[in-house]
Amino acid sequence: MDPNAAAKDFRRFIQELDDEGEILTITKEVDPHLEVAAIVRKVHETGEQCPLFTNPKGRKDNGLFRILGAPVGVSKRPGMQLCRLAKSIGLPSSATGHDIIAKINEAKSKPPVPCRKLESGPVKDYIIRGDDIDLTQLPAPLLHEHDGGKYIETFGMHVVQSPDGKWTNWSISRGMVHGKRELVGLVIPKQDIGAIWNMWKEKGEGMPWALCFGVPPAAILVGGMPIPKWTNEPEFIGALTGAPVDVVKCETNDLWIPANAEIVLEGLVSISETAPEGPMVEYNGMVYPGHTTQCPIFKVNTITYRHDPILPICVAGRAPDENSTIWSISQAAEVLNICQKAGLPIKMVWCPFESHCLWFVVQVDRSNLVEMRTNMEEFCRRVGHTVFGSKPGWFIPKIFLVGDDIDPTNLSDVIWVEATRCEPGRHEFVFTEYSNIPLIPYVTYGLPSKTGTNGKVVKCCMLPGEFTEESLPWKEGSFQGSYPEDVRRTVLENWTAYGFQPL
């Protein structure tokens, strides 16, 4: 059995989750106007099964898609909380956050694997062209009461390419239905899709584009990674899964798309036409009703899709959801790689889901740190410039630097160490020379900046002695830290005999 099978094929991913009891098929008619999303939000907040809606209201009229909610949400199954994310990259359902970060980081050292070009694939089962397209008649969901429209694109993958064909970018960015054949969506200049759009604008031509839903799960994770510009995501996906991505050519342009995708919209992104976009509840869990921005129009010329297709959606809001899982972990893995390439003694990086992709916990290898003969301020400044000055650093405002006695994936550990070892002011190193993504609420709606940028901070959750002493002078008051191994073993072996439920 191929351990990467689910990572390479969305249908296989769903089947494996279903086999484990992680899918709940809902045959009852459910209204895409808020009801679908309300169910998905409740699933995100309770860790319930992924709902697969086979009968969204309106589907019978157009016959197009089913809807899958919470495809990479967190599961409430003990020991399997990250099972959906683990399967997305070819790991067992029991994989930990450490396992997931390690596999992504390991792939960074592997050579890229070029795609395999095919004549056709399942995504070409059906084709709708030109004026036969009507996005307004699809059961596209309204996700939140205060959203500005129906966001059909929340968990699909944009495919664009630089005019010279040397840079292919697969990425995730929201898209709202604007008309029968139009979407409107964010094209932020500092993100890759914005950089490539500007190249086409300089050339004076619309940007060829495709939007793919139900792509290989590994592709959607890599699409959320802030990997270096001019890196071709499809080839990194091949390195991650150990096999080339099978692709087919679009009908109306020269872009190549995953052959086993569920649904693909093809067309052009205008370099001159814009429309009001938003508001939308974003990854930060907040929305400002009535707030819109002018964004480019995505013109749809063709839709291709496979038999009985599935539209995956992410209903953003309070964590955890796919923003918390996919985006925070993909960013953390990239930060780890950047730090290690810079020669910093960093063992692990994690973004607590509850922080909405805004806290990054950076774990130091203390034995190597002591050998560096550095001090707190010097080291924290170096970490800050390394991370904040990198591509993912634009998204990251807060770093928590911790020692290797702290598990970055354990929020209780992070809160404890920040509360006890980070002195306000003297253990906090602020950086004002770097900009931040404007989607952070306090960046756009907070106090006006006097410098033109908003601050970033490295919070050092380590005491000065941790930079110089081989062993820590304190012991932790816990089951693990306060009792000899034989006592711990006796307690665990007799746990049920005491009358407790099995651990």
Side-chain angles (χ1 to χ4, degrees), residues 469-490:
E469 299 175 27
E470 292 288 344
S471 59
L472 298 175
W474 64 82
K475 296 296 182 183
E476 174 184 314
S478 65
F479 179 77
Q480 187 68 27
S482 294
Y483 307 95
E485 183 180 353
D486 61 328
V487 174
R488 298 198 308 269
R489 185 169 58 250
T490 297

Side-chain angles (χ1 to χ4, degrees), residues 186-426:
L186 293 182
V187 179
I188 298 175
K190 287 204 71 168
Q191 293 184 304
D192 290 348
I193 190 172
I196 293 175
W197 180 80
N198 274 322
M199 295 178 190
W200 285 97
K201 187 174 183 179
E202 290 173 3
K203 191 178 180 183
E205 298 179 11
M207 178 172 68
W209 154 84
L211 174 57
C212 310
F213 299 102
V215 299
I220 207 76
L221 181 137
V222 173
M225 281 187 74
I227 57 181
K229 292 183 185 298
W230 297 94
T231 300
N232 286 321
E233 278 89 352
E235 296 183 354
F236 178 62
I237 295 163
L240 182 62
T241 62
V245 179
D246 287 339
V247 293
V248 292
K249 188 175 175 297
C250 284
E251 297 291 310
T252 59
N253 57 45
D254 292 329
L255 298 172
W256 291 78
I257 54 175
N260 59 4
E262 296 285 321
I263 308 165
V264 173
L265 312 184
E266 301 179 16
L268 289 172
V269 183
S270 175
I271 58 171
S272 58
E273 295 178 77
T274 63
E277 191 273 344
M280 178 195 179
V281 174
E282 256 290 353
Y283 74 95
N284 51 59
M286 296 170 65
V287 64
Y288 283 77
H291 179 82
T292 64
T293 53
Q294 289 292 126
C295 292
I297 288 175
F298 295 65
K299 298 185 177 182
V300 181
N301 297 322
T302 297
I303 300 177
T304 68
Y305 60 100
R306 65 187 299 168
H307 178 69
D308 205 15
I310 300 170
L311 177 79
I313 62 171
C314 166
V315 184
R318 291 287 298 272
D321 55 49
E322 284 75 20
N323 293 296
S324 312
T325 57
I326 290 284
W327 199 29
S328 65
I329 285 180
S330 63
Q331 287 189 85
E334 187 64 15
V335 170
L336 176 61
N337 183 260
I338 287 167
C339 288
Q340 291 180 343
K341 281 190 172 180
L344 291 168
I346 304 302
K347 296 175 68 173
M348 173 67 174
V349 177
W350 186 256
C351 176
F353 297 159
E354 293 83 355
S355 77
H356 293 265
C357 306
L358 300 177
W359 289 9
F360 283 74
V361 186
V362 176
Q363 183 192 50
V364 177
D365 183 329
R366 272 208 338 105
S367 61
N368 289 333
L369 176 67
V370 171
E371 290 178 2
M372 290 178 66
R373 300 185 183 279
T374 184
N375 59 56
M376 182 187 295
E377 179 168 5
E378 181 181 83
F379 188 74
C380 288
R381 291 287 178 195
R382 185 175 170 191
V383 169
H385 286 303
T386 299
V387 176
F388 298 143
S390 70
K391 183 179 177 182
W394 186 58
F395 304 101
I396 298 171
K398 301 173 185 178
I399 292 173
F400 293 71
L401 192 72
V402 303
D404 47 15
D405 63 317
I406 297 299
D407 180 359
T409 70
N410 185 333
L411 185 59
S412 177
D413 271 16
V414 176
I415 292 172
W416 175 58
V417 75
E418 196 281 339
T420 57
R421 300 185 211 173
C422 181
E423 181 182 353
R426 293 205 297 173

Side-chain angles (χ1 to χ4, degrees), residues 6 35 64 95 107 115 122 126 178 196 234 238 279 290 325 339 371 395 456 473 487 492:
E35 186 181 5
L64 195 52
C115 295
Y126 302 93
H178 179 65
I196 293 175
T325 57
C339 288
E371 290 178 2
F395 304 101
K456 297 175 182 285
V487 174
L492 293 175

